[in-house]
Amino acid sequence: MSIGNELRGAVDRGEIVAWFQPQVEVESGRVTAVEALARWQHPTRGLVSPVVFIPEAEDTGTIHEIGAHMLWEGCRHAARWRDRGFNVDVSVNVSAVQLAKPSVFAQLQDLLETFALPEGTLTIEITESQLIADLQEVATRLARLKSFGLGIALDDFGTGHSSLAQLQDLPITELKIDRSLIQATTSIGGELIALAVALLQERGVRVVAEGVETEEHLNRVRHLRCDRAQGYLFGRPMPVEEVDELLAHALA
Ligand code: C2E
Ligand code: MG
Ligand code: MG
Ligand code: MG
């Protein structure tokens, strides 16, 4: 059986689970958000990485079930954490394939209503390289979603080919700098990133650094004046029970 075939029904069988990775506010070090990351608990292969199964899911259409499940889980836990007094935002990755489906608007509006999530609590992350293909159409769709009170993050910034001009046209609320830029050993392009960060922050866009593994990376993040940081230095993606513990400790 191919991965693509085996993915059929995986959500219904309970094999797709949402793990979460903390994001900290750079200034205070507090956990202010988490990103939902899909894991496939395969009966014989073990834990399968989203790097392997998300592209298959996009090709075969199962991304719609998987994506809906991840959004549901993200919203459900966001509401649950709020109930417990934890003020934590939740980001969920959304594929361009999902974004292209007309029902995406009703789907997201329903979720925000069902879980009574305040504006900005839920952010959807769109990968830079998936965006640029049809920039105008995507920008229009994102603007509509943003008007619902959703946060819109441009993920993996620095891996695609978007220009500063294109960036300024996108109705985003958050920019996620790809880990390749945060972890780079030479500072080539550093000035440009700093410029992009400054430009977007001036317009109220939050800047998040990905892949922060070391104090050195964190220094770069501070130098760039990023708002939030995510990476192994603060915590790996973890099952939801571990997030509960982390939040409980942080508040105690
Ligand atoms: P992403 O959205 O950019 O997520 C960040 C990835 O970087 C995650 O990989 C995370 O585990 C990894 N990461 C976090 N901190 C560090 C670090 O300090 N060092 C290193 N080396 N890596 C770090 P993961 O969980 O394997 O996910 C890979 C990609 O799969 C995601 O990249 C995202 O594009 C995609 N993905 C994951 N879940 C979903 C989903 O539910 N829907 C969609 N459409 N895509 C998803
Ligand atoms: Mg992401
Ligand atoms: Mg990323
Ligand atoms: Mg990625």
Side-chain angles (χ1 to χ4, degrees):
M1 277 262 269
S2 72
I3 294 251
N5 273 324
E6 287 187 80
L7 268 176
R8 258 169 239 296
V11 170
D12 289 340
R13 293 191 300 271
E15 293 171 6
I16 305 293
V17 292
W19 281 21
F20 295 88
Q21 184 178 30
Q23 292 179 355
V24 304
E25 188 176 64
V26 174
E27 221 172 83
S28 66
R30 283 181 29 226
V31 176
T32 50
V34 294
E35 177 180 7
L37 293 158
R39 297 290 182 266
W40 183 12
Q41 287 174 335
H42 189 279
T44 55
R45 294 181 210 253
L47 209 60
V48 182
S49 160
V51 178
V52 174
F53 72 82
I54 292 290
E56 287 286 334
E58 288 174 335
D59 287 348
T60 56
T62 44
I63 191 66
H64 295 293
E65 295 158 50
I66 293 170
H69 176 66
M70 292 299 293
L71 281 166
W72 179 270
E73 288 295 277
C75 291
R76 180 168 77 88
H77 290 300
R80 198 173 55 80
W81 287 320
R82 291 188 65 78
D83 281 348
R84 297 188 178 184
F86 304 125
N87 204 347
V88 61
D89 295 335
V90 176
S91 293
V92 179
N93 293 284
V94 169
S95 157
V97 181
Q98 291 169 263
L99 204 62
K101 209 174 172 180
S103 58
V104 74
F105 301 107
Q107 177 190 25
L108 283 162
Q109 225 165 8
D110 283 354
L111 280 169
L112 294 178
E113 247 177 63
T114 302
F115 292 101
L117 296 180
E119 185 170 338
T121 305
L122 178 67
T123 290
I124 58 170
E125 298 192 1
I126 320 283
T127 299
E128 187 194 18
S129 57
Q130 289 196 329
L131 260 192
I132 305 310
D134 196 355
L135 196 69
Q136 267 324 308
E137 169 65 18
V138 172
T140 307
R141 291 178 157 257
L142 293 180
R144 188 164 163 203
L145 292 172
K146 188 178 161 186
S147 75
F148 297 168
L150 275 173
I152 311 286
L154 183 65
D155 203 355
D156 300 346
F157 172 69
T159 59
H161 298 90
S162 45
S163 65
L164 274 181
Q166 287 174 318
L167 261 188
Q168 282 188 295
D169 282 345
L170 280 170
I172 57 172
T173 60
E174 181 176 301
L175 182 76
K176 295 192 79 175
I177 302 177
D178 191 69
R179 70 164 178 265
S180 57
L181 298 182
I182 299 300
Q183 299 179 350
T185 46
T186 62
S187 67
I188 298 172
E191 300 294 309
L192 249 156
I193 305 164
L195 183 65
V197 168
L199 260 174
L200 289 171
Q201 273 175 336
E202 207 166 300
R203 295 180 34 209
V205 173
R206 177 170 56 224
V207 177
V208 181
E210 302 193 271
V212 181
E213 294 183 2
T214 65
E215 287 295 334
E216 198 189 330
H217 298 157
L218 183 57
N219 283 337
R220 182 167 300 156
V221 165
R222 288 209 177 96
H223 183 73
L224 285 170
R225 300 185 186 281
C226 296
D227 301 287
R228 288 177 178 170
Q230 180 179 348
Y232 298 164
L233 184 64
F234 311 106
R236 297 197 171 233
M238 57 186 89
V240 69
E241 298 76 25
E242 288 179 33
V243 181
D244 287 357
E245 278 175 39
L246 187 79
L247 293 175
H249 272 99
L251 209 73

